[in-house]
Amino acid sequence: MDDGPDLSNNPYGSAVDIFADESVLKEDWQPAELPERASELEEIRNSLAPATRGVNAHNLFLYGKTGQGKTVAIDHELDLLAEYATSTDDLELSVVKTSANNQSTSYQLAGHLIKEIRGSGPKPSGIDQQSMFDLLYEELHDLNKTIIIVIDEIDSIGSNDDLLYELPRARKNGHLEDQWISVIGISNDLEFRDNLSPKVKDSLYDSEIEFAPYDATQLTSILERRADQAFYDGVLAEDVIPLCAAFAAQDEGSARQAIRLLYKAGELALNNEQDSVAEVHVREARDILERKRIEEGMRSLTNQDQLALLSVVALEVAGETPTRTRYVYQKYKSIADRLDTNQLVERRVRDHLQSLGMQGFLIAESRNRGIQGGNHYRFELKTDLETTLDILREDNRLHDLVADLSAAVNHSQ
DNA sequence: CTTCCACCGGAACCAGAGGGTC
DNA sequence: GACCCTCTGGTTCCGGTGGAAG
């Protein structure tokens, strides 16, 4: 009967067992198999295969929203290729893998790649673009014969795509002699391809693979595989996985999101000392994650973004949404006045409203009322009003203003 | 068929900060 | 210290636009 000290008063350790192996649900967990992406994997393999035959692999573009397995898929295939390379003398492979996140120009991306290849040291800059490219070629020269450069989030360089034109032609232009280079770009932005300059498309484009969003069925089987390892048997109520899958499918079809949801639901059950995960936990988890998403988004807003958002929020409170730009701007001016911040010109506020729309805080509907109304947008708040007010109130400078608005909400309720 | 509303959004330009090299 | 680079967040200016009204 006596098996160890009495822990009944110790706050750590739980009375219930939910997770068999929690790490399976973490962000950095790499699944060993991707049956839902079998055909995409095969396409990648076909594109890489020329490398094993002593020429350069095809350039390749992967498109798809976040959480569609693009990065996992490319890692998976490159691992296999590297494994093959070590087992044979035919292939001397160097893989340079980087994320273009925050590198918004070719110049910066080249600097970033140099830093990546060197493995340490500062990022070079302060020289002109061609010298930067030359520096990059020097670094590439020291690598193996077959070079594959993987650039994640390649869309962040926008239309400044000179480097993408240069790289695939390096050999032809005599910058490299005995080496084969190919580029794999990964993009979340489906329009990126269309905005590339024609000469880049020409030099870079061998093949592209689109990762379509997972549907609910696929998400369900992905979740089931994870859940098998992550949870103890019989812990999940029957409808938990389908519900997580359905929520995620409704949104972006992201596996990452679905897994987060399942993980959070499990944690909630655990924290409440319940021995099984039920539908309520999933719903609660969704609310928590949604709130977190808004909070994180708002934290990155600039002052002026906040003011523009606040203008729409104020109109929302007054029940005057959706509303056109003119009234938002009027409200904006009075708010800026009250807070004693500088007022921007209308054109700029329009930009801020536009970007709030893109970030999912506002709904911007374009319409046209002809001779009485012309062409204009109508804005309304997309996020939950109460939550938005809560979060905005945390900002000291906005506190009083938001408090007034909240009072108005409660009054009308 | 034309007119015209009232905003849309591209373009050119600017100041200031911040990253560097030589 | 002179000089080179880019980026952010702003301004000014202005031609463009689609559909209701006449």
Side-chain angles (χ1 to χ4, degrees):
Chain A
M1 279 302 174
D2 190 335
D3 40 4
D6 179 13
L7 289 176
S8 56
N9 286 323
N10 189 307
Y12 288 97
S14 178
V16 295
D17 281 330
I18 295 278
F19 295 114
D21 181 1
E22 206 171 320
S23 68
V24 177
L25 299 173
K26 296 281 188 190
E27 297 271 315
D28 53 5
W29 172 265
Q30 288 258 1
E33 290 176 16
L34 294 164
E36 286 76 21
R37 293 299 187 200
S39 68
E40 285 84 354
L41 287 177
E42 194 182 332
E43 285 188 63
I44 294 174
R45 213 166 299 146
N46 292 338
S47 290
L48 295 180
T52 66
R53 304 193 291 264
V55 291
N56 58 329
H58 291 155
N59 296 317
L60 182 62
F61 261 79
L62 307 186
Y63 286 102
K65 299 224 169 112
T66 55
Q68 303 303 338
K70 301 183 296 295
T71 311
V72 177
I74 203 75
D75 283 349
H76 186 79
E77 287 305 315
L78 284 174
D79 282 352
L80 291 176
L81 186 64
E83 208 173 281
Y84 172 81
T86 51
S87 73
T88 173
D89 294 334
D90 300 340
L91 176 61
E92 295 168 21
L93 180 69
S94 287
V95 175
V96 181
K97 196 160 178 299
T98 188
S99 166
N101 191 15
N102 296 329
Q103 318 299 322
S104 62
T105 61
S106 280
Y107 182 87
Q108 293 209 331
L109 180 55
H112 194 64
L113 280 169
I114 292 166
K115 184 180 164 188
E116 199 76 15
I117 294 169
R118 287 177 176 164
S120 65
K123 179 176 155 185
S125 76
I127 53 179
D128 66 273
Q129 180 163 293
Q130 195 53 53
S131 312
M132 186 66 99
F133 288 176
D134 290 343
L135 206 53
L136 178 58
Y137 292 131
E138 273 175 37
E139 294 296 331
L140 290 174
H141 195 76
D142 296 336
L143 297 179
N144 287 324
K145 188 164 172 245
T146 301
I147 303 171
I148 295 177
I149 299 181
V150 183
I151 307 172
D152 208 343
E153 300 187 56
I154 198 168
D155 44 302
S156 60
I157 72 159
S159 57
N160 190 325
D161 50 15
D162 295 349
L163 183 63
L164 302 184
Y165 173 67
E166 285 263 331
L167 274 180
R169 302 167 61 90
R171 184 184 171 106
K172 198 188 285 179
N173 291 344
H175 296 299
L176 298 176
E177 283 167 19
D178 307 323
Q179 291 168 298
W180 296 103
I181 190 165
S182 48
V183 178
I184 298 176
I186 304 178
S187 167
N188 298 326
D189 179 359
L190 303 168
E191 283 167 28
F192 177 66
R193 162 193 40 195
D194 305 330
N195 296 335
L196 281 173
S197 58
K199 63 174 191 175
V200 170
K201 275 189 210 163
D202 199 41
S203 88
L204 185 58
Y205 249 72
D206 291 336
S207 50
E208 67 177 36
I209 303 173
E210 187 170 337
F211 284 62
Y214 293 117
D215 62 28
T217 321
Q218 291 171 317
L219 288 171
T220 302
S221 49
I222 292 171
L223 286 178
E224 274 169 355
R225 240 175 300 125
R226 295 273 182 125
D228 265 358
Q229 295 182 62
F231 293 93
Y232 286 113
D233 282 349
V235 159
L236 297 182
E238 209 170 296
D239 41 11
V240 164
I241 286 183
L243 193 60
C244 289
F247 279 148
Q250 267 169 35
D251 200 1
E252 303 256 282
S254 151
R256 186 176 302 145
Q257 188 187 5
I259 291 164
R260 257 185 219 157
L261 205 50
L262 182 61
Y263 187 18
K264 193 74 197 172
E267 278 192 321
L268 288 172
L270 188 64
N271 293 343
N272 293 331
E273 311 229 326
Q274 281 159 331
D275 52 14
S276 65
V277 185
E279 197 181 314
V280 281
H281 298 124
V282 178
R283 294 188 185 278
E284 196 184 337
R286 183 189 53 166
D287 291 346
I288 292 174
L289 293 178
E290 170 68 5
R291 188 189 163 101
K292 207 167 135 198
R293 191 182 68 80
I294 302 175
E295 275 178 350
E296 274 168 16
M298 282 198 189
R299 216 170 293 135
S300 67
L301 294 182
T302 63
N303 271 347
Q304 291 292 347
D305 277 330
Q306 285 185 334
L307 294 191
L309 179 61
L310 205 47
S311 312
V312 178
V313 169
L315 291 165
E316 187 92 20
V317 169
E320 289 167 17
T321 50
T323 184
R324 50 166 61 209
T325 314
R326 185 173 41 180
Y327 301 127
V328 177
Y329 187 57
Q330 278 173 12
K331 193 54 129 186
Y332 163 83
K333 280 197 290 189
S334 75
I335 287 178
D337 231 23
R338 174 166 170 183
L339 293 174
D340 210 20
T341 44
N342 54 327
Q343 280 183 11
L344 303 184
V345 98
E346 193 211 323
R347 177 72 186 84
R348 195 80 247 289
V349 174
R350 281 210 306 264
D351 282 344
H352 282 295
L353 289 172
Q354 205 69 36
S355 93
L356 287 170
M358 301 238 278
Q359 293 173 70
F361 294 117
L362 300 180
I363 300 170
E365 179 212 3
S366 158
R367 69 206 309 250
N368 193 321
R369 282 290 105 116
I371 204 157
Q372 40 174 265
N375 230 346
H376 62 277
Y377 281 115
R378 297 214 304 169
F379 293 100
E380 63 188 304
L381 193 63
K382 190 173 183 182
T383 54
D384 180 66
L385 179 59
E386 301 277 353
T387 312
T388 311
L389 283 168
D390 273 0
I391 296 169
L392 284 173
R393 193 169 24 229
E394 284 162 20
D395 190 307
N396 283 334
R397 290 161 310 131
L398 306 180
H399 184 275
D400 290 350
L401 193 65
V402 177
D404 289 355
L405 289 175
S406 310
V409 174
N410 292 331
H411 209 205
S412 65
Q413 286 301 297

